[in-house]
């Protein structure tokens, strides 16, 4: 069976009507919550006081982007019945695993706007630039990926071509996000996630029965290989599950869109917010991923072999016009909720980390900050539309950025818990991890022979680091060390000699291991610790005179306007705030 949309396409008028309905509605919401005199801090983090319903929905919507739906279905189509589980379950659990870290980060920096801003207060300029730079690259790639998904969808279901679809989506997202920034993003997320959950609950069961299931499970069983029919498929775990565990943990820690919601929600609601987002993400992404499994049983072949066409063509094949319109809104809502989060994240980085830290808190003009944020959104949208025309692989981009952030995970987390981590250790470990990650991930150097063994050993250490970090947040350092060491000992006999054959997985794992080993090695002998209380005093509101008092200098502790740094080897920084 081949996919086709010739009999199910919308007319140009219908598509324009649906887009106007969706983006017009979100724009109306953003204007109703907008303020005549917009506040710079509200534009970035909504006053650090968002309630449970909005924050949980926003966290869920941001974690679910169009690429998640497409990639989950692709995983189901490629790896069979366990594919969506290996995509959706691990992605959901990572939201749960990072919530203890979120509570620690919020406790240390209750009024921050970006993680890069906190790293500036903790270490200084170099670590701030690394985190801000990686987030600019990551958010631009994410923005571009969502525009690509929108362009593909519109070109498949309407007379419009891909570029016209990309421009429609980009203009719609910019329209409502530009007005109120982060507040518009989270408010529209609430509406979008409710619509998406409702759509999945209707659309997936409808396609299931319309396509002839459950009888098709028997008639189509021959279309599956033994691995695709095995719920405990090792092929699915090594090809999808394991790389995704490593990548998505890095996403959760390094991504500014998640950090921004962490800083925005009421501190007491962090735990229920993350738990709710875990359930919502898992249910929706695994559910939509099952479309790929159904397509596999049916022998459905997407046009041109492009798996990005799988979901739209399955929908066009089996849904009546009214439900196809609902499906269209669901996908547009999914990609828009993440795209507006990316725009808000990019705006916050340029407002807080580029302009705010550049001129200093005392000199920062809130109106100029808002202008900087809005200009950033316009420029980022234009760049993402330009790059989207290249039509790069969404899944490859997703995995690449996740692995890239893997180099930052241990240095960032250790900087919130371990007073010995120095600026030099942070910078060196991240750069070294990237230097090893790139040739392994893209096979620039043959991994046969001795080099392959070295890569395997580093990757095995990376397994221990990933599992140890997942345990550390809940059970502390002792349990994390035990789990990490056991993971290395158990996996080594099986992994050394063969793990280098999985370039995607190895690239992520070596990024974790190299950054961890170097950061630990360069910090462990540091005799001067860092006082974490300093971070709260160096971060705070830009546009609130009362809150600014929180950053007033105390004896021996510089405020935001002074140079940060907490270690004697900070290089370009002044030593400050040692605990002993």
């Amino acid at each position: 069976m081949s996919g086709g949309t010739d009999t199910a396409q919308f007319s140009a008028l219908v598509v324009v009507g649906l887009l106007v309905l969706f983006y017009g509605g979100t724009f109306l919401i953003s204007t109703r919550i907008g303020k005549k005199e917009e506040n710079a801090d509200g534009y970035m983090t909504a006053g650090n006081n968002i309630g449970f319903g909005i924050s949980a929905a926003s966290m869920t919507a941001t974690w679910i982007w169009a690429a998640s739906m497409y990639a989950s279905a692709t995983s189901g189509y490629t790896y069979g019945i366990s594919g969506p589980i290996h995509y959706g379950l691990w992605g959901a659990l990572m939201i749960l695993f990072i919530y203890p870290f979120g509570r620690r980060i919020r406790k240390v920096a209750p009024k921050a706007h970006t993680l890069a801003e906190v790293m500036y207060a903790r270490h200084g300029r170099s670590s701030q630039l690394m985190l801000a730079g990686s987030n600019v690259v990551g958010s631009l790639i994410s923005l571009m990926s969502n525009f690509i998904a929108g362009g593909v969808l519109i070109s498949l279901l309407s007379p419009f071509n891909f570029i016209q679809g990309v421009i429609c989506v980009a203009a719609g997202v910019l329209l409502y996000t530009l007005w109120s920034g982060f507040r518009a993003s989270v408010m529209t997320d609430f509406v979008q996630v409710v619509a998406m959950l409702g759509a999945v609950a209707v659309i997936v069961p409808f396609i299931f029965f319309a396509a002839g299931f459950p009888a098709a499970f028997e008639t189509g069983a021959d279309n599956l290989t033994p691995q695709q029919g095995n719920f405990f498929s090792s092929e699915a775990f090594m090809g999808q599950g394991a790389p995704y565990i490593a990548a998505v943990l890095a996403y959760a820690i390094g991504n500014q869109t998640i950090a921004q919601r962490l800083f925005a929600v009421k501190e007491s609601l962090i735990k229920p917010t993350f738990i709710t987002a875990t359930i919502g993400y898992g249910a929706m992404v695994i559910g939509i991923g099952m479309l790929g499994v159904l397509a596999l049983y049916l022998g459905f072949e997407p046009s041109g072999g492009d798996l990005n066409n799988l979901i739209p063509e399955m929908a066009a094949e089996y849904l009546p016009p009214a439900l196809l319109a609902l499906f269209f809104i669901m996908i547009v809502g999914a990609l828009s909720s993440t795209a507006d989060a990316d725009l808000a994240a990019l705006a916050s980085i340029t407002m807080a980390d580029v302009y705010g830290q550049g001129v200093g808190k005392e000199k920062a003009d809130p109106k100029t900050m808002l202008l900087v944020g809005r200009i950033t959104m316009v420029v980022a949208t234009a760049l993402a539309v330009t790059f989207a025309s290249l039509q790069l692989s969404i899944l490859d981009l997703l995995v690449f950025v996740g692995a890239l952030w893997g180099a930052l995970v241990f240095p960032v987390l250790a900087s919130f818990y371990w007073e010995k981590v120095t600026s030099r250790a942070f910078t060196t470990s991240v750069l070294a991890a990237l230097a090893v990650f790139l040739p392994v991930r893209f096979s620039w150097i043959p991994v046969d022979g001795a080099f392959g063994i070295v890569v395997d050993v580093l990757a095995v250490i990376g397994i221990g680091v990933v599992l140890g970090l997942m345990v550390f947040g809940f059970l502390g350092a002792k349990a994390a060390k035990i789990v990490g060491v056991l993971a290395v000992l158990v996996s080594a006999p099986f992994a050394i000699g063969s793990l280098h054959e999985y370039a995607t997985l190895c690239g992520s794992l070596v990024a974790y291991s190299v950054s961890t080993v170097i950061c630990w090695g360069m910090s462990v002998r540091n005799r001067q610790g860092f006082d974490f209380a300093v971070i709260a005093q160096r971060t705070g509101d830009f546009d609130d005179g009362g809150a600014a008092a929180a950053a007033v200098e105390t004896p021996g502790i510089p405020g935001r306007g002074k140079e940060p740094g907490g270690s004697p080897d900070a290089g370009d920084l002044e030593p400050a705030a040692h605990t002993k």
Side-chain angles (χ1 to χ4, degrees), residues 345-394:
L346 288 165
S348 295
I349 290 171
T350 56
M351 291 169 72
D353 296 309
V354 178
Y355 174 74
Q357 300 292 358
V359 303
K361 176 178 172 59
E362 289 74 12
K363 297 180 181 178
D365 178 6
K367 291 184 178 180
T368 303
M369 291 189 77
L370 285 170
L371 180 62
V372 168
R374 286 172 171 146
I375 291 175
T376 299
M377 289 189 183
V378 174
V379 172
T381 301
L383 288 174
V385 168
T386 302
F387 294 146
S389 64
L390 301 176
Q391 295 194 54
L392 303 174
S393 167
I394 292 175

Side-chain angles (χ1 to χ4, degrees), residues 292-310:
V293 179
L294 301 185
L296 184 61
Y297 272 95
L298 293 170
F300 193 92
E301 296 178 5
S303 298
D306 186 352
L307 295 179
N308 286 336
N309 296 336
L310 188 61

